[in-house]
Amino acid sequence: MMKTILIVDDEPNIRLSLEGIFQDEGFRPIFSASGEEALDKIRDENPDLMLLDIWMPGIDGLETLRRAKEQWPDLLVIMMSGHGTIETAVKALKLGAYDFIEKPLALEKVLTCIQNALKMGQLLEENRNLRARIGKAHEMIGSSEAIRVLKEQISIAAPTSGWVLITGENGTGKELVARAIHSLSQRRDKPFIEVNCAAIPEDLIESELFGHEKGSFTGATALRKGKFDLAHEGTLFLDEIGDMSLKTQAKVLRILQERKFERVGGSRTIEVDVRVIAATNKNLEEQIAQGNFREDLFYRLNVLPFHVPPLRERKEDIPALAKHFLEHFSRQESREIKSLTPEAVAALKNYSWPGNVRELKNLIERLVIMTPSNEITPAHLPNHLAGRQDGGAIRRSGIDASNFREAKEEFEREFIVQKLEENDWNISRTAEIIDLERSNLHRKIKSFGIELKK
């Protein structure tokens, strides 16, 4: 598509010479002889770039730039001047100009500068589109009272600098809440760094959080920045913080209090500015009573507490969530958007959803891929959802055990068998839904002697 370039200069010879050059290069040039006229042209023509002279009668180029950037902050502007000084150039760049070129104009330099500016504009546009898609992917779906209140609390707390503690069952969307807080905060343009404290081995978590110096331990062949470093001026999301060891908790508390740390194996103190958002599916007050979590860290994090309700407490959101996931996965798989019949929606609403929104999301992905028609009926749903079994409750033929340990093992085996059946014996999906590491699920399948059907 032909790019439009607005040339603003009171010298007719400049305008005339640039017109021919830009037309030869495939641009559409338009012209203004003054700053006032340029502002009207921007409003009417919406140019892709403005080439703006500084010294003109009426309002000069710097004032024109200031007014243009106030109304159209994304407009690309290149300043021109035959009497430029470093001070003038610096002022123009501070006002938002992309670059500053001197007269007499060198053709190659002008064209190179314009091409670079347009490439920058394209990258900025792609970045905006990508941010918009990411924002939609992390959108909180639902209009229930519980979600309405949660969104209202987020809008109040997000612009502040207070630390946040998010609680809720696995799969409820605690990360979505964290991302929503970040996107509405004053740090929205800075990094959002996530750490899953439960997924990092104990002997590596300090290096993961704080980084390490070269040679600090075997395998440390280069300096490595930690998550606190990477999140500087942004947000650090500590997921499953209840699984963090007491030793690491003490170091995190020190960083929160002093805003500085040392890398593993290093002695240099590094100052850091991060907003910490923590999340857990555990009752931290119970963990404190059991000696597994530091009370001072709990109170340091629990400045702004948020609780994400389980899906069973906001079933009125299920149709909207299902529709959102159907559209998302249909587009992802390049298929026509599928729909649920009213009977299928009713079946989803009658289920208890122990895996919460994550379980619903995984189910919809499976239905999009495996359902041949564009309409999903109860016949396409798993047995426990379609009313062919008892609403997802654990099936028991009667526990025959002589003590609690045996009863627990028998119950656990039956639970795992049912969840494997519900997920077509897919171990990875089952592990995610029941919140168990895949390797742990493999060990339990082996120890219980469960025969995989597929």
Side-chain angles (χ1 to χ4, degrees):
M1 184 177 176
M2 186 179 291
K3 299 290 185 180
T4 298
I5 298 179
L6 171 59
I7 302 161
V8 187
D9 199 304
D10 61 323
E11 296 183 46
N13 290 338
I14 295 288
R15 299 198 300 269
L16 186 62
S17 62
L18 289 177
E19 179 180 17
I21 293 167
F22 288 167
Q23 285 177 339
D24 290 344
E25 294 295 324
F27 298 119
R28 172 179 171 256
I30 57 177
F31 305 94
S32 295
S34 68
E36 293 90 346
E37 185 184 347
L39 295 174
D40 291 335
K41 274 282 174 66
I42 296 170
R43 187 176 297 106
D44 296 338
E45 298 278 356
N46 189 27
D48 297 287
L49 182 144
M50 177 165 64
L51 202 58
L52 177 61
D53 188 32
I54 287 184
W55 306 110
M56 296 184 297
I59 62 171
D60 65 13
L62 291 176
E63 179 61 18
T64 304
L65 172 65
R66 187 188 66 78
R67 295 187 191 183
K69 280 293 183 177
E70 280 183 356
Q71 297 182 63
W72 304 280
D74 296 330
L75 177 64
L76 295 167
V77 182
I78 297 173
M79 305 301 293
M80 305 181 292
S81 176
H83 310 283
T85 64
I86 292 176
E87 183 182 355
T88 305
V90 169
K91 189 172 182 180
L93 295 174
K94 283 184 177 180
L95 286 171
Y98 171 77
D99 206 346
F100 185 99
I101 54 179
E102 290 183 311
K103 294 179 178 179
L105 299 176
L107 174 59
E108 289 300 324
K109 184 174 182 180
V110 171
L111 292 176
T112 299
C113 189
I114 287 174
Q115 294 288 1
N116 289 341
L118 292 173
K119 285 179 184 177
M120 175 63 72
Q122 183 179 349
L123 288 174
L124 290 173
E125 182 63 26
E126 290 174 359
N127 186 46
R128 277 193 295 271
N129 293 336
L130 180 60
R131 283 176 177 266
R133 287 200 297 272
I134 291 172
K136 191 163 183 64
H138 294 118
E139 183 182 359
M140 294 178 64
I141 305 297
S143 56
S144 63
E145 179 64 13
I147 289 299
R148 187 195 65 77
V149 170
L150 183 59
K151 289 179 178 178
E152 185 178 313
Q153 292 173 337
I154 289 171
S155 67
I156 294 170
T160 71
S161 57
W163 284 301
V164 176
L165 179 62
I166 306 168
T167 57
E169 296 176 8
N170 281 318
T172 51
K174 296 187 289 295
E175 182 186 345
L176 288 184
V177 174
R179 288 186 179 275
I181 292 170
H182 174 74
S183 66
L184 293 173
S185 74
Q186 297 177 15
R187 299 171 183 258
R188 67 179 68 89
D189 296 323
K190 299 297 182 179
F192 177 91
I193 304 296
E194 180 183 359
V195 183
N196 188 330
C197 301
I200 304 171
E202 172 58 27
D203 57 341
L204 294 179
I205 194 165
E206 285 191 46
S207 173
E208 190 74 17
L209 290 176
F210 314 125
H212 61 252
E213 299 288 346
K214 180 179 179 180
S216 56
F217 54 84
T218 303
T221 57
L223 181 148
R224 181 170 183 256
K225 289 186 175 183
K227 301 297 187 184
F228 273 94
D229 251 346
L230 298 173
H232 181 58
E233 295 185 337
T235 301
L236 180 66
F237 177 46
L238 298 176
D239 197 10
E240 303 301 350
I241 197 168
D243 293 287
M244 187 180 285
S245 71
L246 289 169
K247 178 183 175 183
T248 309
Q249 288 175 37
K251 294 202 172 188
V252 169
L253 178 64
R254 183 199 159 196
I255 292 179
L256 298 185
Q257 290 173 332
E258 301 179 5
R259 298 178 181 269
K260 56 188 179 182
F261 65 97
E262 294 87 35
R263 295 193 182 102
V264 174
S267 57
R268 182 168 64 92
T269 298
I270 300 165
E271 294 189 1
V272 68
D273 170 24
V274 297
R275 183 184 194 178
V276 172
I277 301 177
T280 182
N281 63 347
K282 294 184 177 180
N283 186 323
L284 292 186
E285 290 170 314
E286 288 182 0
Q287 294 295 304
I288 291 168
Q290 296 168 13
N292 297 325
F293 201 83
R294 292 182 64 108
E295 186 175 20
D296 45 4
L297 178 57
F298 171 73
Y299 289 120
R300 194 74 184 85
L301 292 171
N302 199 37
V303 177
L304 297 170
F306 288 84
H307 180 72
V308 188
L311 188 54
R312 63 182 175 274
E313 292 181 6
R314 55 180 189 108
K315 288 190 173 183
E316 59 266 47
D317 291 333
I318 288 175
L321 284 163
K323 182 175 184 292
H324 172 77
F325 292 138
L326 281 169
E327 292 174 354
H328 171 76
F329 288 117
S330 295
R331 283 193 297 267
Q332 181 175 291
E333 300 298 330
S334 301
R335 303 188 180 191
E336 288 188 41
I337 295 176
K338 298 181 186 290
S339 62
L340 291 157
T341 65
E343 295 78 14
V345 172
L348 296 183
K349 292 181 73 173
N350 286 332
Y351 181 53
S352 60
W353 297 106
N356 292 296
V357 178
R358 183 185 298 148
E359 184 181 1
L360 174 62
K361 182 179 180 180
N362 290 342
L363 171 70
I364 297 298
E365 181 179 12
R366 170 185 165 192
L367 292 172
V368 167
I369 294 171
M370 300 301 295
T371 304
S373 67
N374 288 333
E375 188 174 67
I376 298 168
T377 71
H380 297 118
L381 301 178
N383 288 339
H384 65 287
L385 275 166
R388 295 185 286 270
Q389 291 172 2
D390 180 20
I394 303 300
R395 305 184 303 276
R396 292 186 292 275
S397 57
I399 293 177
D400 181 20
S402 59
N403 58 52
F404 177 77
R405 181 183 60 79
E406 291 180 3
K408 179 174 176 292
E409 289 178 356
E410 190 172 338
F411 176 87
E412 191 174 345
R413 183 187 189 282
E414 200 157 352
F415 174 81
I416 290 173
V417 168
Q418 178 178 334
K419 291 303 176 184
L420 285 166
E421 287 177 349
E422 291 171 6
N423 291 282
D424 288 342
W425 300 89
N426 184 306
I427 293 176
S428 296
R429 189 185 302 138
T430 303
E432 183 178 4
I433 285 176
I434 67 175
D435 192 36
L436 194 67
E437 288 291 332
R438 191 174 185 276
S439 57
N440 288 344
L441 180 57
H442 265 297
R443 283 195 292 271
K444 288 183 180 293
I445 290 170
K446 185 176 180 180
S447 66
F448 290 139
I450 297 172
E451 183 180 352
L452 298 174
K453 298 294 171 57
K454 57 184 289 189

